[in-house]
Amino acid sequence: MAAENKMPLVTEDWTAVILGFLIIFVTVAGLHIVFPAFSWSDSSVLAGKIFSGDNLTNILLLLAGIMIVAALGALLLKRSLKAFLLTFPVVFLISMIALLFAGNSQVRSLNLEAVIFSLALGLLISNLFRLPDWFRQALSTELYVKIGLVLLGTSVIFSDILKAGSFGLLQALIVVVSVWYFAYWVCKKLKVDEELRIMIASAVSICGVSAAIATAGAIKGDTKKLSYVISLVLVTAIPMMIGMPYLAKLMHLPEAVTGAWLGGSIDTTGAVVASGTLVGEEALKISTIVKFAQNVLLGIAAFAISVYWTYTNNQEALGQNGKPTLGVIWERFPKFVIGFLAASLLFSFGLEKQTIDLVKEPLKHVQTLWFVLAFTSIGLETRFADLFHHDNRKPLYGFLIAQGFNIIVTLIVAAVLFR
């Protein structure tokens, strides 16, 4: 099956914004689909709850709704609709299996995110079976990532930012800036390519998975490099989640300091909550506030990185002064960042709190699903040899060194601000 290469009606970035806001408006209008249940503890719950008639119906309705949106994306981008109709159900089925794995109570206790299972399943299938070229070409990985990022903006509420407190925001700002530049510098010294070192710096300094995804979208990064960085984040989050509360106890740190340390160092929100719970109620509260304060910097960071990338990586379009013109910057600027910011502004100032309370959970579920679909697609188009090639040793060393620096700096800042 030959791939169709036609000029799209709109760019992929604007398609993501259009589809993201279509989902938002439909959800706000009250037409959202009930998200299926995926939480289970044993075989009886699995059979009686997950595979019940009602839940299977909800899965089919979810497939229909998401498939309509994704098909609209294929039409706007003038991609082969036939290839889409053959590939999307496969991607969706694998994603449902990933959500099922992540929904197990023992897995949830480890705070392993569904994206790691979708990536792993995609990689397994891709490496066990030779997928045809038309199948790989029909995958819409970047579109699904960008739709998820637009929807992520609905969770960044400005009033909540203020609730994070001055100390939480101050720590987030100090840690994000210092750790980002250190990680970037270390990776540069190790001769890691710029695209990968920007992803690593953002993942270590801001908020792990979401930051890596946002950065990859901002610089139009290689999805294989993104999957590598995500793997590093998720693998290191588990020992940090378990080991740091133990270290804090050995050092006799106050709960507030421990919470600030955990929230600023551990890359995934779920792991922060889990580690904070191991320490105590105050540590859990402070760690959540600090992590949220870092998360809200995501949009600002994505904007700044996208401008920097456009400004420094477009030598073919230099103006008379030797630098890209404003027109070139706008042309290359990732428009999904505008969608992210617009969604944040809408939910911060344009909707009533009652409406937000009704739709935030459905939108969170849908946002997660788009990310899971994206990482299933990444896995299906990636070979293990690409992820574990010997060239990946230097990025690994850079990531680990930066993470060690992050732990030390965050501890010092937390001790000063929260003692």
Side-chain angles (χ1 to χ4, degrees):
M1 182 183 298
E4 294 184 11
N5 295 313
K6 299 178 181 179
M7 287 296 295
L9 296 175
V10 293
T11 65
E12 186 175 74
D13 278 10
W14 280 124
T15 298
V17 174
I18 292 169
L19 298 181
F21 270 85
L22 174 63
I23 295 169
I24 291 171
F25 291 146
V26 167
T27 305
V28 170
L31 300 178
H32 55 84
I33 299 170
V34 176
F35 201 80
F38 290 102
S39 299
W40 59 285
S41 55
D42 52 45
S43 57
S44 61
V45 176
L46 187 65
K49 179 182 177 183
I50 307 302
F51 293 117
S52 66
D54 288 344
N55 203 55
L56 291 176
T57 299
N58 288 336
I59 291 176
L60 291 176
L61 290 174
L62 180 64
L63 169 61
I66 294 296
M67 196 167 182
I68 289 172
V69 175
L72 181 56
L75 292 173
L76 290 173
L77 295 172
K78 288 194 175 181
R79 294 173 179 170
S80 170
L81 193 58
K82 181 179 180 181
F84 165 79
L85 292 173
L86 291 173
T87 57
F88 187 83
V90 177
V91 175
F92 184 87
L93 176 60
I94 297 170
S95 300
M96 292 299 101
I97 296 173
L99 287 168
L100 191 61
F101 278 129
N104 179 264
S105 58
Q106 293 182 344
V107 173
R108 289 202 313 274
S109 68
L110 297 174
N111 279 280
L112 295 178
E113 301 183 40
V115 292
I116 191 63
F117 292 104
S118 63
L119 176 62
L121 288 171
L123 284 169
L124 187 64
I125 293 171
S126 177
N127 286 270
L128 287 179
F129 305 97
R130 185 173 181 81
L131 299 176
D133 290 339
W134 66 262
F135 186 98
R136 294 174 184 271
Q137 293 170 6
L139 297 172
S140 298
T141 304
E142 292 187 13
L143 176 63
Y144 299 161
V145 167
K146 291 170 183 176
I147 293 173
L149 287 168
V150 172
L151 296 177
L152 181 63
T154 65
S155 64
V156 180
I157 311 300
F158 282 80
S159 61
D160 291 339
I161 297 175
L162 298 178
K163 293 178 184 177
S166 57
F167 284 166
L169 290 171
L170 180 59
Q171 174 175 317
L173 186 61
I174 294 172
V175 169
V176 167
V177 173
S178 60
V179 173
W180 196 97
Y181 278 103
F182 179 82
Y184 184 89
W185 175 78
V186 166
C187 289
K188 186 176 182 179
K189 288 295 183 181
L190 291 171
K191 301 188 184 308
V192 176
D193 71 83
E194 187 173 23
E195 188 176 307
L196 188 52
R197 65 178 180 252
I198 288 178
M199 291 188 206
I200 290 174
S202 298
V204 173
S205 63
I206 308 176
C207 52
V209 173
S210 297
I213 294 173
T215 301
I219 65 175
K220 304 185 187 302
D222 189 300
T223 55
K224 292 173 183 170
K225 294 177 182 178
L226 173 61
S227 65
Y228 175 72
V229 174
I230 294 297
S231 299
L232 291 178
V233 170
L234 294 174
V235 168
T236 56
I238 298 174
M240 290 177 66
M241 175 188 73
I242 298 172
M244 290 181 64
Y246 180 72
L247 287 175
K249 185 176 181 180
L250 287 179
M251 291 186 288
H252 303 288
L253 297 178
E255 272 201 32
V257 174
T258 301
W261 187 33
L262 298 175
S265 300
I266 300 176
D267 291 325
T268 63
T269 303
V272 167
V273 173
S275 60
T277 303
L278 293 175
V279 178
E281 185 175 342
E282 185 180 7
L284 173 61
K285 178 182 177 181
I286 298 296
S287 66
T288 304
I289 288 174
V290 170
K291 175 52 62 177
F292 182 80
Q294 283 187 323
N295 289 344
V296 299
L297 295 175
L298 177 60
I300 299 173
F303 179 85
I305 289 169
S306 64
V307 172
Y308 164 80
W309 188 258
T310 301
Y311 198 75
T312 59
N313 288 271
N314 290 286
Q315 297 301 311
E316 76 282 2
L318 294 179
Q320 293 182 350
N321 61 352
K323 297 178 180 178
T325 63
L326 289 177
V328 170
I329 292 177
W330 169 250
E331 179 185 349
R332 303 300 179 91
F333 180 77
K335 311 305 187 297
F336 78 87
V337 175
I338 297 175
F340 174 94
L341 296 174
S344 177
L345 290 172
L346 174 64
F347 273 67
S348 296
F349 306 110
L351 297 176
E352 296 181 356
K353 185 179 183 303
Q354 183 179 6
T355 301
I356 294 174
D357 291 340
L358 289 174
V359 303
K360 64 180 180 181
E361 186 174 355
L363 284 173
K364 176 64 177 176
H365 287 317
V366 176
Q367 169 208 312
T368 299
L369 178 57
W370 284 109
F371 284 147
V372 173
L373 290 169
F375 276 86
T376 299
S377 301
I378 291 174
L380 290 173
E381 62 187 13
T382 304
R383 307 285 295 178
F384 282 123
D386 297 326
L387 282 178
F388 302 110
H389 192 268
H390 69 275
D391 290 341
N392 285 332
R393 292 176 185 173
K394 289 184 177 180
L396 171 62
Y397 299 153
F399 181 90
L400 294 177
I401 293 171
Q403 195 64 273
F405 178 81
N406 180 26
I407 291 172
I408 295 171
V409 168
T410 304
L411 176 59
I412 294 172
V413 175
V416 172
L417 294 178
F418 289 89
R419 183 174 291 276

